[in-house]
Amino acid sequence: MRRKNMLALGLSFVLGVGASSTLAYALPLEQEESLQTSASEVGNTEETASNAETVAEEDTKEEASVLEEREASDKEKEEAEEESSLSTEALGGTDRAAEETLTPLSRSRRALADPPYYASEEEEKKDRRNKVLSVLMEFDNDIDVAAKDHMMVVRNIPLKVSAYAVGIAGASYDYKQFRIQPERVIEKKEGNNWVVYSLNYFTPGTYRYVYILEIVQGSPLYLEEGEINGEKKITAEAHIQGNFVNGVHNNSNSIAKIIPLETDSSVGRKYRLEGREFAVEKEETISKVYLKSNLDIYNIHAGDLMKRITLSLDKMELTDGTVVMNSDTNMPLLVNTMKDYPDNLQQYKVRLYSHKNEEGYIGAVFYITESKPYTVGLYHSYFFIRPNYQIGKYRFLVNNTDDDYGSGTQFYINNELYKTNTVGIQRELTTQAYLQSPKFEVKKVENPSNNSSGNSGNSFHGNSGNSGGSSSGSGSSGGSSSGGSGSFKVSSSLSGQVLGVDRSLSGGQWVQDEKGWWYKRADGSYPKNSWGYEAYNGKSYWYYFLDSGYMATGWVDVNGSKYYLFPNSDGWKGRMLTGWQWIDGNCYYLDLQGQNEGALYRNTTTPDGYAVDSEGRWVVNGAVQHKK
């Protein structure tokens, strides 16, 4: 009997407290009284059910005993409430006003009067408005380049935030709250560690870019945080909407990790954005390039129409001695940097530098329209050429890097060496070279006369007459001049020459030993790999000195041009010849004056209207003319 009543009372306690607790976060304070009444009624209802059961089992005499037991239960309930006061902190603390001990029922009252703190809807919106879920960045008026072997390392590349997402729809955006430091850091992987990379060109290896994202001082914005595998991390995402040159890309524009550096909004928040790693692979270096061209610079006449030029690769020699033929791949190994004709990257527009023509000095002439006629003048032609980055296996030697540069990559077009501007560190996808042809002259076609003469004044046509340049002539038995003491004067025909006054062979003396002639200056030094100019006894000539320092004779190649230096002893042995000269049975024309004085004419028409072949020999209707 007692146990049944105690169970009923216990159920009443549980239901009463449970109902109060459930409604504590939903009901207003004014409903406290009705809540207490409801709880009391629940207890009374259960007691009535218990009493009805007792009446059915016992007589009225037992009712008095039930009342006694109920009083005892009330006493036990009070004792239980006193025990509960021993853990007030665990049950919710004490009333702030009266410091009364909180019972289950009084705790229900406190829940209604002072519920636990939850952010208001407005505060939650404000937080969602400031929490940045993702950031989209893009290069500020620039593009990125996928790194290649020995290409330029670009550190300063400004980025800007172009979009960002927050946790609430319809929020306003202010991109001025973001700043990205323009100087990005390049790190290279060494073993398992990342170290800052300081060279200004890439070498083979694994790299990543690091950016610093700043949220300005006082801004409420912050990047979303969360827990990943029990560790607090930035869960916001960052992306770079990167444009790569020609669509060639790698992972360098992807952000892999965000690390908070400063989080105090009063001084500004900073985040370290680490890019994904990307690889730079080794490319083989090219020492020599042999190209074929449909442009014959020595056979252009005034009035000829300009046409697109084709440069096709014959072969390449690598620095390790390997020979690579263009047929080794189904794509051209070398292509036009300028992409003048996208359907054929081996074709070029005519690009000329004209020193002087009938229209006057016109300087550089680029992007010439096809079918424009050549005019009389002195020209260079230019080509911009690079390895095909789609193959990505080869590159030119690059100056100012750890390449064993030497004279750099050499380029031959139609077997003639072209001048190459130093291949420096480039930002483009691969190394590129700027090729310059030897100077060539475009002249009017005139009927040849039979009385043209060379610099010696002797007629070269027919079989009569002596040539001052004939290698078969005996000449004088004397040696070279002994070093003049006369005054030095550069003729007007030599003005502008690289062979200037500083090349004067004066104040020293000629010396002959068992190997040949050389020139000893007053300070004991001697010229080598250079021209020297001597004025002596009323005559002036150019001489060329080899790397050994000895005077050269016969044919020599200097900077892509060919010269002939008189080989016999006549008092001026080694002098440079000009004009028409019979040499070993063939007739050649060597430029008379100007910046190209002494240079052999090849594959063209001479100033007096005669044709010469690719070796410079005088030809008539394609037949080489020989001296009989």
Side-chain angles (χ1 to χ4, degrees):
M1 174 77 76
R2 178 181 175 85
R3 294 177 63 185
K4 289 181 180 180
N5 287 327
M6 289 299 291
L7 285 172
L9 183 61
L11 179 61
S12 173
F13 173 78
V14 172
L15 290 175
V17 175
S20 299
S21 300
T22 302
L23 297 174
Y25 301 103
L27 297 178
L29 183 62
E30 299 85 78
Q31 297 181 10
E32 178 183 357
E33 295 300 327
S34 62
L35 178 64
Q36 295 182 45
T37 303
S38 176
S40 175
E41 288 175 351
V42 170
N44 291 337
T45 301
E46 292 181 358
E47 289 177 14
T48 302
S50 177
N51 291 339
E53 183 181 349
T54 303
V55 171
E57 295 177 357
E58 300 179 353
D59 53 23
T60 51
K61 185 177 180 180
E62 293 177 336
E63 292 181 2
S65 176
V66 172
L67 293 175
E68 292 176 0
E69 291 181 7
R70 182 175 179 181
E71 292 175 358
S73 297
D74 291 339
K75 186 176 182 180
E76 290 176 1
K77 180 178 178 181
E78 292 176 359
E79 292 175 355
E81 291 178 352
E82 290 177 1
E83 291 179 5
S84 69
S85 66
L86 298 177
S87 57
T88 56
E89 183 177 355
L91 295 175
T94 59
D95 187 275
R96 289 176 297 179
E99 293 293 326
E100 65 179 5
T101 301
L102 295 179
T103 65
L105 185 58
S106 61
R107 281 199 304 276
S108 298
R109 292 194 189 99
R110 287 291 295 116
L112 290 169
D114 189 13
Y117 175 77
Y118 280 84
S120 66
E121 182 177 352
E122 184 61 32
E123 289 173 321
E124 289 180 359
K125 285 184 179 180
K126 183 177 180 181
D127 182 65
R128 292 199 302 271
R129 186 180 296 111
N130 297 332
K131 180 166 58 180
V132 179
L133 308 180
S134 63
V135 176
L136 181 64
M137 301 168 286
E138 64 182 25
F139 295 116
D140 192 2
N141 300 321
D142 210 339
I143 54 178
D144 204 4
V145 178
K148 296 284 185 178
D149 187 11
H150 281 64
M151 299 308 298
M152 180 184 293
V153 172
V154 180
R155 292 181 171 85
N156 191 294
I157 182 165
L159 279 171
K160 63 181 179 182
V161 172
S162 58
Y164 64 95
V166 295
I168 187 170
S172 59
Y173 295 90
D174 180 6
Y175 299 101
K176 293 182 179 180
Q177 297 186 73
F178 293 94
R179 180 181 179 272
I180 303 168
Q181 294 183 5
E183 193 79 6
R184 66 182 176 188
V185 176
I186 290 87
E187 296 181 341
K188 187 175 184 181
K189 200 169 189 178
E190 294 186 1
N192 294 324
N193 299 319
W194 290 96
V195 298
V196 175
Y197 188 71
S198 58
L199 294 179
N200 63 342
Y201 60 94
F202 286 100
T203 55
T206 302
Y207 297 83
R208 72 180 179 190
Y209 294 131
V210 176
Y211 303 89
I212 302 299
L213 171 67
E214 299 180 23
I215 298 179
V216 299
Q217 179 179 350
S219 171
L221 296 179
Y222 66 94
L223 298 189
E224 180 187 41
E225 298 180 351
E227 285 194 4
I228 300 177
N229 297 326
E231 184 179 354
K232 189 175 182 181
K233 294 184 177 181
I234 299 295
T235 55
E237 296 180 349
H239 305 274
I240 298 179
Q241 185 175 326
N243 295 318
F244 284 96
V245 174
N246 292 309
V248 179
H249 59 85
N250 53 25
N251 288 328
S252 62
N253 275 3
S254 300
I255 302 299
K257 189 177 182 181
I258 304 176
I259 301 173
L261 299 178
E262 297 177 1
T263 58
D264 186 357
S265 64
S266 64
V267 295
R269 296 185 172 96
K270 289 185 179 180
Y271 300 88
R272 171 186 167 96
L273 278 56
E274 294 179 355
R276 290 185 183 176
E277 63 182 48
F278 59 92
V280 172
E281 298 179 353
K282 180 182 178 181
E283 297 178 338
E284 301 297 331
T285 48
I286 306 168
S287 61
K288 293 182 179 180
V289 174
Y290 295 88
L291 297 153
K292 295 179 181 179
S293 173
N294 64 338
L295 176 66
D296 182 357
I297 62 175
Y298 299 111
N299 194 25
I300 301 175
H301 304 91
D304 290 348
L305 299 181
M306 298 177 182
K307 299 179 181 179
R308 67 178 64 183
I309 303 167
T310 299
L311 292 183
S312 58
L313 177 67
D314 184 15
K315 64 180 179 179
M316 300 189 309
E317 291 183 12
L318 306 183
T319 51
D320 63 2
T322 303
V323 175
V324 179
M325 307 300 294
N326 195 62
S327 57
D328 292 345
T329 175
N330 59 358
M331 291 189 289
L333 292 173
L334 302 179
V335 297
N336 181 359
T337 296
M338 305 301 290
K339 296 189 295 185
D340 297 317
Y341 305 100
D343 58 330
N344 190 333
L345 293 181
Q346 295 182 92
Q347 292 184 336
Y348 298 74
K349 287 185 177 180
V350 177
R351 291 182 175 85
L352 300 172
Y353 185 86
S354 177
H355 293 272
K356 185 178 181 180
N357 62 17
E358 290 180 329
E359 300 170 359
Y361 182 86
I362 60 174
V365 184
F366 293 127
Y367 306 110
I368 297 174
T369 305
E370 288 187 79
S371 300
K372 176 183 176 68
Y374 283 94
T375 58
V376 172
L378 187 63
Y379 296 92
H380 286 304
S381 62
Y382 291 95
F383 301 99
F384 296 87
I385 193 166
R386 62 171 170 80
N388 191 339
Y389 60 77
Q390 291 182 313
I391 296 175
K393 292 176 59 177
Y394 308 102
R395 64 177 177 84
F396 303 140
L397 293 169
V398 184
N399 197 18
N400 298 320
T401 71
D402 58 3
D403 279 348
D404 185 8
Y405 192 81
S407 58
T409 302
Q410 295 180 320
F411 296 84
Y412 295 83
I413 298 180
N414 293 341
N415 293 320
E416 184 166 12
L417 181 64
Y418 272 48
K419 181 181 177 181
T420 308
N421 283 20
T422 299
V423 180
I425 303 172
Q426 303 289 333
R427 184 181 173 179
E428 289 73 13
L429 290 172
T430 185
T431 52
Q432 65 179 14
Y434 175 61
L435 309 184
Q436 175 184 310
S437 76
K439 291 187 287 290
F440 61 94
E441 191 169 12
V442 175
K443 296 190 174 185
K444 291 180 179 179
V445 178
E446 298 176 354
N447 294 326
S449 63
N450 291 324
N451 58 2
S452 179
S453 61
N455 68 324
S456 63
N458 298 320
S459 174
F460 77 94
H461 291 291
N463 299 319
S464 62
N466 295 323
S467 169
S470 174
S471 61
S472 60
S474 60
S476 171
S477 60
S480 179
S481 59
S482 60
S485 59
S487 63
F488 171 76
K489 182 178 180 181
V490 178
S491 66
S492 61
S493 67
L494 296 173
S495 60
Q497 273 270 21
V498 293
L499 320 174
V501 175
D502 59 322
R503 301 295 186 183
S504 171
L505 301 178
S506 61
Q509 62 179 344
W510 286 97
V511 179
Q512 185 183 32
D513 58 24
E514 68 279 3
K515 293 183 179 181
W517 288 93
W518 57 283
Y519 189 83
K520 183 179 180 180
R521 298 191 182 103
D523 61 0
S525 65
Y526 54 90
K528 61 179 181 177
N529 280 334
S530 65
W531 291 95
Y533 184 82
E534 183 183 42
Y536 179 67
N537 284 346
K539 295 184 179 181
S540 302
Y541 294 111
W542 285 104
Y543 299 85
Y544 188 77
F545 297 90
L546 303 172
D547 183 60
S548 60
Y550 286 98
M551 179 186 72
T553 58
W555 289 108
V556 294
D557 288 295
V558 181
N559 294 329
S561 294
K562 199 168 185 176
Y563 303 84
Y564 189 76
L565 310 175
F566 191 66
N568 298 326
S569 298
D570 64 350
W572 286 272
K573 180 180 181 179
R575 70 185 183 276
M576 182 180 75
L577 299 184
T578 60
W580 284 106
Q581 302 289 340
W582 283 102
I583 302 172
D584 295 332
N586 298 315
C587 200
Y588 300 88
Y589 184 81
L590 304 163
D591 206 347
L592 276 172
Q593 61 183 6
Q595 294 188 10
N596 217 25
E597 180 179 357
L600 177 67
Y601 270 53
R602 290 178 284 190
N603 263 344
T604 189
T605 301
T606 63
D608 48 4
Y610 293 92
V612 291
D613 65 9
S614 61
E615 295 183 20
R617 299 171 299 187
W618 170 38
V619 294
V620 175
N621 296 325
V624 178
Q625 303 300 295
H626 300 286
K627 185 176 182 180
K628 296 180 181 179

